[in-house]
Amino acid sequence: RAIIVVYLLGCIAYAAFQWNAESGVQSIIVSVVFLFGSVFILLIGIMSLQTANDILHIAELRLQATTDPLTGMFNRRFLDQRLPEELTRAKAGRLPLAVLMLDIDHFKNINDTYGHDVGDQVLQSVGQIISGLVRESDIVARYGGEEVIILAPNTTVDVAQILGERIRIAISTFDLAKLGGAAHSDEATLTVSIGITGLAPHGEEFESVIRRADQALYRAKAAGRNLVVCLPTVSTDDDGNNETC
């Protein structure tokens, strides 16, 4: 914009000079044409900048609408949109799709003992750890409260279990003393339980996939927490074998 303004001022100065110099009509006409041309370019530039700002504003609004403001992960709304799409894509391409549901163990106790500020820091730290371990193609979303869901496209449940264990170990070794209120307790620990399942080969509704992942998570908690539990589908693969985890 600054260049266009300088150009416009230059044209105005040139037109004024030509007028004062009593130059011929042709010179004045040329300067006036350049002047109007510069005004036109200026208007186009202003409109282009406004359009670019509008596009950036819309992008920011979309990001805010799909992102959890505390953790930076995707939110439940985004997950509800993307999960059916990923299920459809996996079914159409006969590709595996793994779903991991993660829950922070005894999160209420963390809030009650160290305060909600530390609880928020725990959620942020868990999100950062997960984001550092997943692929760019994986979708990490805060499902609600202290629950997180990971969609892993083109991933078998066996591979998802490896990922789940990596996440579990990384979180269990996180030093809670780094967080404000937890620094005063040597007994402060952070663990997660993870339930894993996969998409049935014949395809299924996203509600049933989430329900099965939730059941796997429940089993992990019932078995003592700080565990990764996989719950296979009841379907069979192309060789007639039951799916295993």
Side-chain angles (χ1 to χ4, degrees):
R1 180 183 294 182
I3 295 177
I4 297 175
V5 172
V6 171
Y7 176 72
L8 176 62
L9 293 176
C11 288
I12 294 175
Y14 177 77
F17 174 78
Q18 292 293 336
W19 187 273
N20 293 330
E22 297 182 355
S23 301
V25 176
Q26 183 177 0
S27 298
I28 296 176
I29 292 176
V30 170
S31 63
V32 170
V33 169
F34 272 103
L35 175 62
F36 279 102
S38 62
V39 171
F40 177 77
I41 294 174
L42 177 62
L43 293 176
I44 293 297
I46 293 174
M47 293 174 61
S48 298
L49 288 174
Q50 183 60 48
T51 301
N53 290 333
D54 291 342
I55 292 174
L56 289 175
H57 182 62
I58 293 173
E60 290 176 358
L61 291 177
R62 287 182 177 176
L63 182 63
Q64 293 174 4
T66 59
T67 304
D68 176 62
L70 176 62
T71 63
M73 294 182 283
F74 290 116
N75 57 21
R76 175 73 175 270
R77 176 186 300 176
F78 181 82
L79 180 69
D80 289 342
Q81 294 174 349
R82 283 299 301 272
L83 182 53
E85 296 175 1
E86 292 299 330
L87 291 176
T88 301
R89 184 178 295 110
K91 179 182 177 182
R94 299 182 65 81
L95 300 172
L97 173 68
V99 179
L100 299 84
M101 180 177 286
L102 177 151
D103 186 82
I104 301 175
D105 297 327
H106 305 296
F107 184 71
K108 183 178 184 301
N109 292 342
I110 294 176
N111 277 331
D112 294 343
T113 304
Y114 307 112
H116 289 278
D117 287 343
V118 171
D120 289 346
Q121 293 179 56
V122 166
L123 288 170
Q124 293 169 343
S125 299
V126 167
Q128 292 170 0
I129 291 173
I130 295 174
S131 297
L133 293 174
V134 299
R135 305 165 302 180
E136 290 186 4
S137 58
D138 296 334
I139 299 170
V140 181
R142 185 180 180 188
Y143 191 61
E146 66 274 18
E147 287 186 340
V148 176
I149 283 185
I150 305 170
L151 299 184
N154 200 20
T155 302
T156 64
V157 289
D158 292 333
V159 174
Q161 274 193 292
I162 297 174
L163 172 62
E165 281 293 340
R166 290 176 61 195
I167 293 173
R168 184 191 66 80
I169 293 172
I171 293 176
S172 65
T173 56
F174 177 77
D175 186 8
L176 265 180
K178 296 178 180 178
L179 308 182
H184 305 292
S185 175
D186 295 332
E187 300 178 357
T189 58
L190 179 63
T191 62
V192 295
S193 299
I194 303 175
I196 298 175
T197 192
L199 174 65
H202 63 273
E204 57 185 319
E205 297 298 324
F206 72 93
E207 291 90 349
S208 62
V209 180
I210 294 296
R211 189 181 308 114
R212 194 164 56 252
D214 188 48
Q215 292 172 352
L217 174 61
Y218 177 81
R219 293 187 183 186
K221 286 185 169 293
R225 293 182 169 84
N226 193 25
L227 292 172
V228 177
V229 171
C230 179
L231 186 60
T233 68
V234 296
S235 302
T236 58
D237 60 24
D238 292 337
D239 297 325
N241 300 315
N242 288 328
E243 180 190 9
T244 59
C245 290

